[in-house]
Amino acid sequence: MSRIPDAELPAAEGSTGIYNNLHRALANNLALEKLFGDVGRAVHIASHLPTRTRELAILGLLVMLREEAGWAQHFQIAQVLGVSAEEARAVRDRKLGGFSASEQAAILFTEAVDQCRVTDDLWADTARHFNDVQMLDLVMLAGFYGYSARVTLALGVEIDEGLTGIDES
């Protein structure tokens, strides 16, 4: 159970009215929930990364951080966006050999961003696969999902009903 109660969320104008457990917890402060959601949408909508690469990087970061609720969401989302369940499990299990060089680079780079271990060599190696805007997108993606994972873990947000955690996926 979340460490703070879920807030009631009325359907906002122009909203789908669909919220996950994290958003219900964050809605105890609607201004912060909106800003959080805006940044979360931006790292997807404004991204210049291939959709598949972006989802693989998110999965890699979430499994590294052991963030179950986010993993559960993105395990499902990734499959809609072209990542098979088997590929998601390969990321989970650190079996990256079946992915393209750019996909592997994105996964490893976002993890390094989160751990504050981006070296000039790692940047150069990753930048062989991505342009400057995409490199910025990778940094922002890692920053957001690292932040999101820490918020989710601190609040004790549970996996949404019907989804599965890291080990069960």
Side-chain angles (χ1 to χ4, degrees), residues 5-9 18-28 160:
D6 289 347
E8 290 294 321
L9 284 169
I18 299 170
Y19 298 96
N20 62 31
N21 288 343
L22 175 58
H23 287 276
R24 283 189 284 279
L26 292 176
N28 283 284
D160 285 276

Side-chain angles (χ1 to χ4, degrees), residues 110-124:
T110 54
E111 293 172 0
V113 170
D114 183 77
Q115 295 178 344
C116 301
R117 347 174 248 103
V118 176
T119 63
D120 289 342
D121 287 342
L122 178 62
W123 184 277

Side-chain angles (χ1 to χ4, degrees), residues 22-138:
L22 175 58
H23 287 276
R24 283 189 284 279
L26 292 176
N28 283 284
N29 181 331
L30 285 173
L32 286 179
E33 189 276 333
K34 181 187 180 322
L35 292 168
F36 178 90
D38 288 348
V39 174
R41 281 184 291 283
V43 298
H44 290 267
I45 295 168
S47 178
H48 296 84
L49 296 167
T51 302
R52 177 183 157 82
T53 301
R54 186 185 68 230
E55 286 302 316
L56 290 169
I58 292 167
L59 289 170
L61 187 58
L62 293 174
V63 75
M64 181 191 77
L65 295 171
R66 300 299 298 171
E67 204 277 271
E68 299 277 349
W71 167 273
Q73 291 287 329
H74 282 276
F75 182 75
Q76 182 180 48
I77 292 166
Q79 290 175 66
V80 172
L81 298 176
V83 176
S84 71
E86 293 76 22
E87 289 172 318
R89 289 184 196 107
V91 172
R92 176 195 67 193
D93 298 338
R94 304 297 294 168
K95 296 178 180 175
L96 304 182
F99 297 103
S100 72
S102 64
E103 291 168 341
Q104 290 179 45
I107 293 165
L108 297 174
F109 183 79
T110 54
E111 293 172 0
V113 170
D114 183 77
Q115 295 178 344
C116 301
R117 347 174 248 103
V118 176
T119 63
D120 289 342
D121 287 342
L122 178 62
W123 184 277
D125 289 345
T126 307
R128 282 190 221 134
H129 304 283
F130 302 101
N131 64 37
D132 289 343
V133 173
Q134 291 171 318
M135 290 298 289
L136 174 60
D137 290 349
L138 280 170

